[in-house]
Amino acid sequence: MKSSPSPSSRPSKAVPKGDLATEITASLVVFLVALPLCIGVAVASGVPAELGIISGVIGGLVVGAARGSTLQVSGPAAGLAALVAETVLEYGVAMLGVIVLFSGLLQIVLGLVRLGRFFQAISLAVVQGMLAGIGLPLMFSQAYPAMDAKAPGTPLENMAGVPGLLADTFADPQALIAAGLGTVTVVLSFLWKKVPGPVRKVPAALVAVGIGIAVAALPGVEVKTLQVGNLLASVDMPGTAQFAGLADVGIITAILTFTVIASAESLFTAAAVDRMHDGPRTRYNPELIAQGAGNTIAGLLGALPITAVVARSSANVQAGAKTRLSRTLHGLWLLAFALLLPQVLALIPISVLAGVLVYSGWKLFAPEEFPKMWRQDRGEFAVMTLTTLVIVATALLEGVLFGLAAGIVLAAVRMSQTVIRQHVEEDTAKVVMAGNATFLRLPQVIEALEAAAEAGKPRIRLDLTGVTHLDHACRSQVEEFTAQQRGKGLRVELLMPGPAKRLPTEADREPESVPDEASARAAARLDPLPRRPVSVPASASTSAGAPGPTAEWFYLDTTPMPEDFAQRYAEGYAQDYGSVYGSDHGSVYGSDQGRSYGEGEGTPGPSYDYFR
């Protein structure tokens, strides 16, 4: 009787355990990165700054404590700022809570039915185009508050108004100071990584905020600063009037848009964060449920939507975090700061926060990805560029749907690569096809078939054995063409695609050479083309090279053939396959069949065509 192993002898699972001090330090770093981002995203979204902090707190305390990803940090994201701003402008801040609430519920449902992995089945070109389409309008929209001005409205209007914005800024000394603070913030964000020593560990956005507060406090400086109220008073739970808005088609569309974009951004960020560390991988369905739980609570409190954020997540990884503790604590620090030191927030210049978001927009836009995509794949480059342009010109949902459609079309076209060779050889018009024959290539297929018919030869050979996929449209066209030409008295040899079949041996042969009535009816059901009655001579049925009952095409043609037809056919068949499909196919389908049908003792008589 074996004794159970002692606890000390049992193999222990390698669970990463971060040092408590390291986790707390990492949480403080993430807090310092998240604070200006939460406020900046709220301002860019057209809602009070307190709502951004509430979403940040929920992202830490709710999503951060849930299972799914270990090091990914969630909160209000710059990627949704433009979408939220449009929604608030059209439906008001009160309806935002309902939209976020039902988006969260929908995310939970998607996670429960295990569709978290589905978001990974999206073309990378569409994803990058979507991010660029979010980042480019974000930069132009935040250029206005960076100069203490108000953005005109749509992305195209914001772009067109930049020359006038610059003229007005240079004419106003206070606006020029604000523009200087915004510019310093952007420059610091780009160059801060090159700062040597431990100073680099301080987030660039926090340094910019400190500089902005100092400059705004100077006498004679009158730049716009953040307007902050009571955190608890800013909570606005949806009421009956807001829930009645669910009957509006526009609200339903907004819910679906928020769900798709927030889920995609969170799960794409999870994949990116997983590449930054060697710890536990993200569990996509639980993570989607966690994101949904966070958005559900955020919606109930009337706050901003929550997604995973790359900036906070990368700061968390770089600070040495190993567990969920750091991202959970950062939410606690946000809550404590907003409750205990709200007056500090009122000192932050808006232009500094706008500068932080201009930099975030640039990172989303990622212009270096466009030439990289051009070098790698020009078709995907077109999808990526079109997605970006449509988002900028219309809206986020329309652009993403257009990009998905363009990606599907590109994949379909590439999957439908068909090589068609049509030529005339003595008394035979030949058409050889290889690749994937789908309805997208139907015009080329019809053109080749018509050219073979117009060649005026008594024989037509259609060789489709090199086709790896033949869809219904192309198959129907080939079968109709074959039936029509045979009806005109022409001899049509048709070789359809199918798995290679072993030539039958003597042991495989049936004693009956003529199929019975039941077999004939079964064959008629399987064969889409008309088949003439077959009466196989005993010599042919017992010969070594004759096809068995599983032969794909086997029919009797009474048209006389030249005496040397078998030899010429075998040689031509071998030559075709050797040139089109390579030496291997030539040896299998050319030389072997040449020996079976041309040189072997079982060579069929002049009245029979055998096609496998």
Side-chain angles (χ1 to χ4, degrees), residues 39-65:
I39 301 170
V41 170
V43 173
S45 302
V47 302
E50 299 83 16
L51 295 183
I53 296 177
I54 292 174
S55 293
V57 172
I58 296 171
L61 297 181
V62 178
V63 182

Side-chain angles (χ1 to χ4, degrees), residues 351-405:
S351 59
V352 173
L353 299 175
V356 172
L357 290 177
V358 168
Y359 175 72
S360 297
W362 177 267
K363 298 295 287 183
L364 288 170
F365 180 46
E368 70 277 2
E369 294 297 329
F370 285 87
K372 183 189 297 185
M373 185 66 77
W374 172 265
R375 292 190 297 268
Q376 293 176 348
D377 191 318
R378 296 188 178 181
E380 296 288 346
F381 169 82
V383 173
M384 179 179 175
T385 304
L386 287 173
T387 303
T388 301
L389 293 177
V390 174
I391 290 175
V392 172
T394 57
L396 186 59
L397 181 61
E398 286 83 347
V400 171
L401 293 177
F402 183 89
L404 290 173

Side-chain angles (χ1 to χ4, degrees), residues 486-561:
R486 285 176 177 169
K488 296 178 181 178
L490 294 179
R491 185 189 186 103
V492 181
E493 302 169 357
L494 177 60
L495 287 82
M496 295 292 280
K501 299 180 178 67
R502 178 177 60 87
L503 286 176
T505 61
E506 290 294 337
D508 298 327
R509 307 214 180 273
E510 297 289 339
E512 292 287 338
S513 60
V514 180
D516 56 18
E517 184 179 355
S519 300
R521 286 198 301 269
R525 286 195 301 270
L526 294 175
D527 190 357
L529 293 179
R531 183 188 296 269
R532 299 183 221 176
V534 178
S535 179
V536 183
S539 60
S541 63
T542 57
S543 62
T550 58
E552 224 174 303
W553 300 102
F554 178 46
Y555 62 88
L556 174 66
D557 194 327
T558 56
T559 306
M561 293 187 299

Side-chain angles (χ1 to χ4, degrees), residues 67 95 116 182 214 289 293-294 300 319 342 376 379 408 417 423 426 461 464 476 488 512 527 529 533 550:
R67 302 175 65 185
M95 282 302 302
I289 294 173
L300 287 173
Q376 293 176 348
I408 292 172
Q417 292 295 328
H423 63 284
E426 297 182 356
R461 179 186 296 171
L464 278 66
S476 297
K488 296 178 181 178
E512 292 287 338
D527 190 357
L529 293 179
T550 58

